[in-house]
Amino acid sequence: MNRSPAELRTLVEGYLGELAFTPELGGLEEALRYPIESGGKRVRPVISLAVAEAAGAVAEHCLPAAASVELVHTFSLVHDDLPALDDDDERRGRPSVHVAFDEGTALLAGDALLAEAFRLALSYPTPMVGRELAQATLAMIGGQYRDIAGETADLAGLHRLKTGALFSASVGVALWVAEVPEGEQPVWRAFGDELGLLFQVVDDLLDGDGYAAAHGTDAARRLADETAARAQERLDAISADTNVLAEIVASLAARTA
């Protein structure tokens, strides 16, 4: 029986809590652990584990890949908060890394988190997990550049890169770990493509910006509902037990924080 999102999150938290970083990082390790321990719902790695189980793999075998996606996400937050980018002094109710430590340490901590992510992704016999993560990371960075450069006319395209790419990778890395043949992956990937948009639109509704600011709250809510419905349709087309993934979609659509 596939495990619930809460059970999968417990697996993720345990793995991240015991994760051994490269010894050469020395005292920098404290700055790496700080943002990882700052909380978060672990949505992306939980999706990875749920996809792995639905595809017939053992969730524990997918933990390095799932954690690699979470480390890339964490690296992006550490760098986003820097004065050169969003200049945010607080993250999840705690001082941002550059405030808790200093700017140079935050920059290096982000770099190290990214490198550690690829160390985990490359621990599998197949190189495809690492390739999946690399492609998503580059897409995310491209989306972030569009954002800071003010290239926001195509809001959907921006968010497909900045947010959606890493959600798609959450599904993609699990497919490679589960050894799902490439020819059977499109239906899974179609589901993954909906997740990032759903997360972003609901995020914008909560913050009152992005889609909500551009199109109005009612239109953004309709878009979120339509995206959640499409995600469920994608799941219905998969010949596997996707009940846990459906539960994740429902929770993303209904989240209030």
Side-chain angles (χ1 to χ4, degrees):
M1 182 176 178
N2 293 342
R3 281 166 280 193
S4 70
E7 291 171 320
L8 295 176
R9 181 178 175 180
T10 297
L11 275 181
V12 171
E13 295 291 0
Y15 185 82
L16 291 174
E18 297 176 358
L19 186 59
F21 292 118
T22 304
E24 285 80 2
L25 292 173
L28 185 63
E29 180 175 330
E30 182 183 357
L32 272 70
R33 294 203 183 277
Y34 180 82
I36 293 172
E37 295 169 352
S38 293
K41 291 182 169 55
R42 313 300 191 197
V43 177
R44 295 159 189 81
V46 166
I47 289 169
S48 290
L49 299 189
V51 168
E53 285 203 331
V58 177
E60 284 81 356
H61 185 47
C62 192
L63 276 169
S68 74
V69 176
E70 184 70 3
L71 291 188
V72 169
H73 173 57
T74 305
F75 131 76
S76 74
L77 299 182
V78 171
H79 279 191
D80 275 356
D81 288 340
L82 286 167
L85 292 174
D86 292 347
D87 194 16
D88 286 328
D89 289 344
E90 188 175 291
R91 170 73 62 179
R92 295 169 178 162
R94 302 175 73 193
S96 300
V97 177
H98 73 271
V99 175
F101 297 88
D102 57 66
E103 288 184 38
T105 299
L107 183 63
L108 293 173
D111 292 344
L113 285 166
L114 181 59
E116 289 286 357
F118 279 94
R119 183 175 63 82
L120 292 176
L122 294 170
S123 65
Y124 294 93
T126 175
M128 297 308 295
V129 177
R131 290 182 184 178
E132 184 87 32
L133 191 66
Q135 184 173 348
T137 302
L138 290 168
M140 178 190 71
I141 292 170
Q144 290 172 325
Y145 174 73
R146 287 192 189 188
D147 198 9
I148 67 169
E151 299 175 8
T152 57
D154 179 8
L155 198 59
L158 187 155
H159 288 310
R160 187 165 52 250
L161 296 173
K162 185 177 179 181
T163 303
L166 213 54
F167 274 91
S168 296
S170 298
V171 174
V173 296
L175 295 178
W176 295 120
V177 172
E179 299 182 357
V180 175
E182 193 166 355
E184 298 176 14
Q185 292 186 12
V187 64
W188 292 91
R189 291 183 178 278
F191 163 69
D193 289 342
E194 304 292 352
L195 292 177
L197 177 59
L198 175 60
F199 184 91
Q200 186 64 55
V201 175
V202 174
D203 211 44
D204 290 349
L205 279 165
L206 293 172
D207 295 339
D209 58 14
Y211 287 102
H215 305 292
T217 300
D218 290 342
R221 183 69 260 175
R222 284 196 300 274
L223 178 57
D225 292 341
E226 291 166 0
T227 306
R230 284 198 307 272
Q232 184 57 56
E233 289 173 3
R234 305 301 192 193
L235 288 179
D236 292 341
I238 297 173
S239 299
D241 181 355
T242 59
N243 287 333
V244 175
L245 289 167
E247 185 178 342
I248 292 172
V249 169
S251 68
L252 288 178
R255 72 191 178 99
T256 58

